[in-house]
Amino acid sequence: MGLHIFNYLTREKEPFEPLEEGRVGMYVCGPTVYDHAHLGHAKTYVAMDVVVRYLRYLGYKVRYVQNITDVGHLLDTGEDRILKGARRERVEPMEVVETYTRSYFEDMDALRVVRPNISPRASCHVPEQIEMIKTLLEKGYAYETEAGDVYFSVEKFAEYGKLSGRKVEELEPGARVAVREEKRHPADFALWKHAEPEHILRWPSPWGWGYPGWHIECSAMSTKYLGETFDIHGGGLDNIFPHNECEIAQAEAATGKPFARYWVLVGSLTVNGVKMSKSLGNFLTIKDALRLYSPDALRFFVLSSHYRSPVDFTRAALLAAERGIERLHNTVRTLRMRMEQAPRAGTADLSYITDLDAHRRAFMAAMDDDFNTPKAIAALFDLNREVNALLASGRPVSRGTLAAIDSLYRELGGQVLGIIPDDLTQGAGGELVEGLMNIILGIRERYREARDWEQADALRRQLAELGIVVEDRREGPTWRVER
């Protein structure tokens, strides 16, 4: 079948055909760095991370661009979010930007989100934005006001609304657009704003000192690094209007060419059915969430629902994710321990388990169907059941067989989904805990050899109280952590 993607531009699931064979250009709207990222950001960027991972797994060379918004993203009051953050913390605006940019990447690293190839900042690309605005003025798609502001005229771009489905004539004053007297139409949006003398974030331009509007940065930076037409534009579904709609209008009006070919947009994370956001105060930062739940559980929670669907955040759902990911990890941990203990002689004998390629095909069929991670996870659990049965059967299994199975886990659960790390001892406390457990189990084995069952059982009970389950098998004891 091959990869099919639901394209919000056409509202259809389409076969994926990149502009250039073997290469993919992908742009994702990044964060506005005026505060710590929250779980809503985690949902968007984990979902986009898996899209990038799977494309690379299929063999594509992906150039992944994700911007950093550090100027121009205005609140409904007209106040720049960065300036608001600077006033809140009584620091320079760029100090806010540096602090929360670092915080964002710390969070993404903790969640094992692959870093973009390029993370351009809006403030570093003001010249490119000015050049695009000049082009739009020259072509008649924009106009300047007496105050030194520049607006895009939505009535001049006939296809405005083609992504969101909104019509220009239906956009009444006050409908999610700021109404200002200098606008020719209430839906016209700012390309450049003049700066008052006290405004700190400001640059010289043909229209005087000012700063760019929010939308122009993405059009300018995506086309700079990916070309006038590129393959995939990703981000949150909540930005489809006005932000994504304005991106298309600016870019296509300026270049005369199609902008992004596939629009891959992620549903919101909700709390009691309401979108999680800082403005509503119903958010949990990623840093706070990581104090309560493991990174793998957070990824598992996000990927357990389809990326286009909204997901409601509850403690029960996160605890269920912890249990689900621990079932996978326990199996893989036991598999790897058995692999270390297995004799080196012998080749892979996969007659012990259903054809591994069948599990790979089921996984890929799910991912090829618009990155259906819930079905992909289900395919991984089908593999897990077979592996558990094999490990519990008592059959002697060669190291080659166990290594082949482990390789599939690393490939599907690690490389693609990012929920099975290469080193699972880190989740249980790292090499120190691994070494201590080997010592404890060695002591317990000596008690058992001496038939001192009371001491052996006491050790086992004490470990159980700490959440560590010990199982005695024919080839030796194994252990796992149960949360």
Side-chain angles (χ1 to χ4, degrees):
M1 167 175 120
L3 176 60
H4 283 63
I5 298 176
F6 183 86
N7 187 354
Y8 268 93
L9 189 62
T10 61
R11 296 298 197 277
E12 292 181 359
K13 200 178 290 186
E14 303 173 359
F16 179 64
E17 297 174 356
L19 279 167
E20 183 180 349
E21 186 176 354
R23 292 179 175 267
V24 176
M26 178 170 166
Y27 184 87
V28 171
C29 291
T32 302
V33 284
Y34 69 106
D35 207 339
H36 295 296
H38 58 65
L39 281 182
H41 298 113
K43 183 178 189 302
T44 297
Y45 299 122
V46 167
M48 291 292 97
D49 177 58
V50 170
V51 170
V52 173
R53 284 168 174 264
Y54 189 60
L55 289 168
R56 287 173 175 160
Y57 176 73
L58 293 177
Y60 292 108
K61 184 175 178 57
V62 181
R63 173 177 282 184
Y64 179 23
V65 181
Q66 183 192 110
N67 70 300
I68 295 292
T69 298
D70 58 358
V71 65
H73 191 170
L74 305 183
L75 296 161
D76 292 339
T77 60
E79 184 179 29
D80 190 296
R81 282 171 162 80
I82 302 300
L83 290 179
K84 181 182 179 182
R87 271 195 295 276
R88 178 190 68 220
E89 301 184 18
R90 301 178 68 182
V91 298
E92 289 290 325
M94 286 300 105
E95 189 173 347
V96 168
V97 167
E98 290 301 324
T99 296
Y100 294 114
T101 298
R102 285 196 292 267
S103 172
Y104 169 72
F105 282 119
E106 286 169 3
D107 292 341
M108 294 301 105
D109 290 346
L111 293 173
R112 281 197 287 280
V113 170
V114 176
R115 291 221 179 180
N117 298 100
I118 305 173
S119 298
R121 294 189 182 192
S123 63
C124 296
H125 293 76
V126 173
E128 289 88 345
Q129 296 174 69
I130 289 174
E131 288 304 309
M132 183 170 277
I133 295 169
K134 287 166 63 176
T135 299
L136 292 170
L137 282 166
E138 291 166 4
K139 291 189 172 185
Y141 288 102
Y143 58 92
E144 185 181 356
T145 70
E146 291 183 5
D149 298 330
V150 181
Y151 286 97
F152 186 92
S153 177
V154 296
E155 292 179 298
K156 294 292 181 67
F157 186 71
E159 292 188 286
Y160 189 80
K162 66 180 179 179
L163 180 66
S164 64
R166 302 193 182 205
K167 304 297 182 185
V168 171
E169 56 272 18
E170 295 171 356
L171 296 175
E172 298 298 331
R176 286 203 67 184
V177 290
V179 181
R180 298 184 182 277
E181 291 182 2
E182 67 266 26
K183 288 185 178 185
R184 296 177 183 173
H185 187 281
D188 291 352
F189 55 90
L191 300 171
W192 187 263
K193 297 290 293 180
H194 76 278
E196 300 295 340
E198 68 277 6
H199 201 284
I200 300 173
L201 296 173
R202 51 193 296 180
W203 290 263
S205 79
W207 318 286
W209 284 87
Y211 54 93
W214 175 31
H215 314 304
I216 190 69
E217 66 174 89
C218 287
S219 298
M221 291 190 290
S222 59
T223 54
K224 175 182 175 68
Y225 293 110
L226 298 174
E228 294 175 333
T229 302
F230 57 91
D231 295 301
I232 297 174
H233 194 306
L237 184 57
D238 54 312
N239 280 336
I240 193 170
F241 186 88
H243 183 59
N244 298 149
E245 198 68 75
C246 295
E247 284 183 79
I248 293 173
Q250 296 161 153
E252 296 190 356
T255 67
K257 297 177 182 178
F259 185 44
R261 299 171 66 240
Y262 298 86
W263 284 81
V264 181
L265 303 178
V266 180
S268 298
L269 183 73
T270 60
V271 180
N272 296 322
V274 179
K275 177 197 167 189
M276 181 178 284
S277 70
K278 289 188 175 73
S279 60
L280 296 174
N282 64 342
F283 68 95
L284 180 68
T285 67
I286 294 173
K287 284 179 169 53
D288 287 341
L290 287 170
R291 293 186 184 99
L292 300 170
Y293 312 103
S294 70
D296 297 307
L298 290 173
R299 282 189 72 100
F300 189 90
F301 168 71
V302 168
L303 301 177
S304 293
S305 63
H306 195 276
Y307 76 89
R308 286 192 282 119
S309 303
V311 177
D312 203 47
F313 169 80
T314 65
R315 178 166 172 74
L318 263 298
L319 290 176
E322 286 279 16
R323 291 191 295 271
I325 196 64
E326 199 57 44
R327 291 208 310 275
L328 277 177
H329 285 187
N330 281 336
T331 301
V332 177
R333 192 179 287 118
T334 303
L335 173 74
R336 291 174 183 175
M337 290 172 68
R338 287 278 296 274
M339 189 166 62
E340 289 299 315
Q341 298 164 356
R344 293 185 179 277
T347 56
D349 179 5
L350 299 179
S351 63
Y352 286 124
I353 195 166
T354 301
D355 182 6
L356 288 182
D357 280 337
H359 292 288
R360 182 184 287 105
R361 286 193 298 272
F363 181 94
M364 291 185 66
M367 293 299 292
D368 282 343
D369 184 14
D370 192 30
F371 310 105
N372 194 326
T373 53
K375 284 189 176 179
I377 289 173
L380 209 53
F381 272 103
D382 287 342
L383 170 65
N384 222 51
R385 278 190 291 274
E386 278 205 63
V387 174
N388 280 331
L390 173 62
L391 295 176
S393 69
R395 292 177 176 177
V397 186
S398 73
R399 181 173 294 199
T401 299
L402 296 171
I405 298 169
D406 182 46
S407 178
L408 189 60
Y409 275 113
R410 291 177 187 272
E411 194 178 306
L412 308 183
Q415 183 182 345
V416 178
L417 297 182
I419 57 176
I420 299 179
D422 286 340
D423 183 3
L424 271 172
T425 62
Q426 291 180 358
E431 293 181 2
L432 176 61
V433 169
E434 187 79 24
L436 289 172
M437 282 303 302
N438 288 338
I439 293 171
I440 293 169
L441 292 181
I443 293 171
R444 182 172 174 271
E445 278 303 290
R446 286 197 289 275
Y447 282 137
R448 285 164 57 84
E449 289 168 2
R451 308 184 73 80
D452 189 344
W453 310 117
E454 184 177 347
Q455 292 288 358
D457 290 344
L459 265 180
R460 187 175 190 171
R461 282 195 304 271
Q462 289 169 332
L463 290 170
E465 288 171 3
L466 296 174
I468 298 173
V469 177
V470 175
E471 291 184 358
D472 293 308
R473 297 178 181 272
R474 179 183 304 174
E475 65 280 0
T478 62
W479 63 276
R480 69 177 186 273
V481 177
E482 287 198 348
R483 298 180 186 275

